[in-house]
Amino acid sequence: MFVDTHCHLDDEKLKNDLDTVVKEFRAANVGIVINIGCDAATSELVKRQAEKYDGMYFAAGIHPMDVKDATDCDLEKIVELAKHDKCVAVGEIGLDYYWDKTFKDKQKEYFAKQIALANELKLPINVHVRDAMGDAVEIIKANKDKLTYGGVMHCYSGSVETAKELLKLGFYISFGGTLTFKNARAAVEVAKFLPIDRILTETDSPYLAPEPKRGTVNAPKNIPFISARLAEIRGETLETVERAVYENTLALFKKIRA
Ligand code: NI
């Protein structure tokens, strides 16, 4: 059974035909899908979607780009959602300096606050970092006593050195469609180096469809292409990668029932 640990099925491109999206990923043997919220409203939406389908879970959190207008009231809403049976992580949370650098301090504040919330809720974190890895690792290190339940770095694009630091901090590393792209040199190095018990797979649907589907609307049904590329890079069989990712998923997201 394959796993998609990070997708956005509340997106306009997917939500209107969710029955088909689900039917297709089940047909592709993708048995566990984690639908990720980006603020209080989308976290509520992904919760409602997850309630409808077996094998679908969700994460509630405020994405770094969405903390700009966020308030404590939104954090309270996230806490309420996170208590749901099918909420398996707090996320996506993190830092993103790519689009807008004008509220870095608020991003850092909300990242740290949500790490603390996850710990109180006994949940792992799902972390998004773009153009901010140095600051992100610093915050993770400063809060490592609040990372009892671990975390995953989603769509990892950093160096092997940073990956080593993250492993020491108890993190899993998740790979998406970008691993299958021709220019994925850094990610390929990391995928080769990682111990098999720290690897996860994701699509980040509807974004970043893997080869040979690049340029199309991404969906969880495309996970096998990413797993196959991981297996090829690591010199392992597809079955080995498939089984390891499944076991890693159950080890990190403890609220998922096998
Ligand atoms: Ni995402």
Side-chain angles (χ1 to χ4, degrees):
M1 180 196 293
F2 296 100
V3 181
D4 188 348
T5 62
H6 189 121
C7 60
H8 301 276
L9 304 181
D10 61 309
D11 189 276
E12 290 296 331
K13 297 187 190 78
L14 297 166
K15 72 173 185 190
N16 296 325
D17 198 6
L18 202 53
D19 283 347
T20 303
V21 170
V22 171
K23 202 158 78 183
E24 287 176 347
F25 73 62
R26 283 179 183 159
N29 198 24
V30 178
I32 297 173
V33 162
I34 305 178
N35 202 1
I36 307 279
C38 290
D39 58 16
T42 54
S43 295
E44 169 70 33
L45 254 173
V46 294
K47 177 198 83 171
R48 275 190 236 149
Q49 292 179 321
E51 281 174 336
K52 279 179 67 180
Y53 301 98
D54 282 345
M56 192 188 294
Y57 299 85
F58 76 100
I62 306 174
H63 186 287
M65 293 314 302
D66 291 283
V67 307
K68 193 170 193 171
D69 306 309
T71 63
D72 284 348
C73 184
D74 295 303
L75 289 176
E76 283 165 27
K77 178 79 185 156
I78 297 301
V79 170
E80 275 320 300
L81 289 166
K83 292 174 183 163
H84 191 283
D85 271 357
K86 291 189 111 176
C87 184
V88 299
V90 169
E92 58 189 299
I93 62 174
L95 300 177
D96 190 326
Y97 300 162
Y98 181 78
W99 297 104
D100 189 343
K101 295 179 179 64
T102 61
F103 57 107
K104 281 187 180 179
D105 287 343
K106 194 171 178 192
Q107 287 196 26
K108 291 181 190 171
E109 178 198 334
Y110 270 69
F111 186 24
K113 274 186 176 171
Q114 292 183 96
I115 292 173
L117 287 182
N119 201 47
E120 286 165 26
L121 290 156
K122 301 186 166 44
L123 288 174
I125 54 174
N126 192 306
V127 180
H128 166 106
V129 177
R130 194 167 183 194
D131 286 1
M133 194 57 88
D135 283 0
V137 171
E138 202 173 294
I139 290 175
I140 291 166
K141 276 186 179 161
N143 291 280
K144 69 173 185 233
D145 59 322
K146 299 190 191 80
L147 280 166
T148 322
Y149 306 95
V152 51
M153 192 59 77
H154 114 84
C155 204
Y156 186 72
S157 59
S159 65
V160 168
E161 287 314 305
T162 304
K164 284 180 183 165
E165 287 193 72
L166 290 167
L167 290 181
K168 273 191 227 150
L169 291 158
F171 267 72
Y172 290 74
I173 304 285
S174 183
F175 295 98
T178 48
L179 185 67
T180 67
F181 298 172
K182 285 222 158 41
N183 60 357
R185 277 231 326 270
V188 166
E189 286 310 307
V190 176
K192 254 186 219 163
F193 147 81
L194 283 177
I196 196 160
D197 63 355
R198 295 299 190 90
I199 292 175
L200 292 171
T201 51
E202 66 172 72
T203 58
D204 207 11
S205 302
Y207 313 106
L208 299 168
E211 294 290 358
K213 303 287 177 184
R214 197 172 177 179
T216 64
V217 175
N218 201 6
K221 68 178 175 188
N222 288 329
I223 282 288
F225 296 115
I226 295 159
S227 304
R229 180 69 183 122
L230 256 176
E232 182 185 38
I233 290 167
R234 295 174 59 83
E236 291 160 347
T237 64
L238 179 59
E239 291 69 29
T240 302
V241 169
E242 182 185 338
R243 169 167 287 273
V245 168
Y246 174 71
E247 283 168 3
N248 298 344
T249 300
L250 297 184
L252 178 63
F253 303 103
K254 294 201 169 58
K255 275 168 82 177
I256 294 182
R257 293 176 211 107

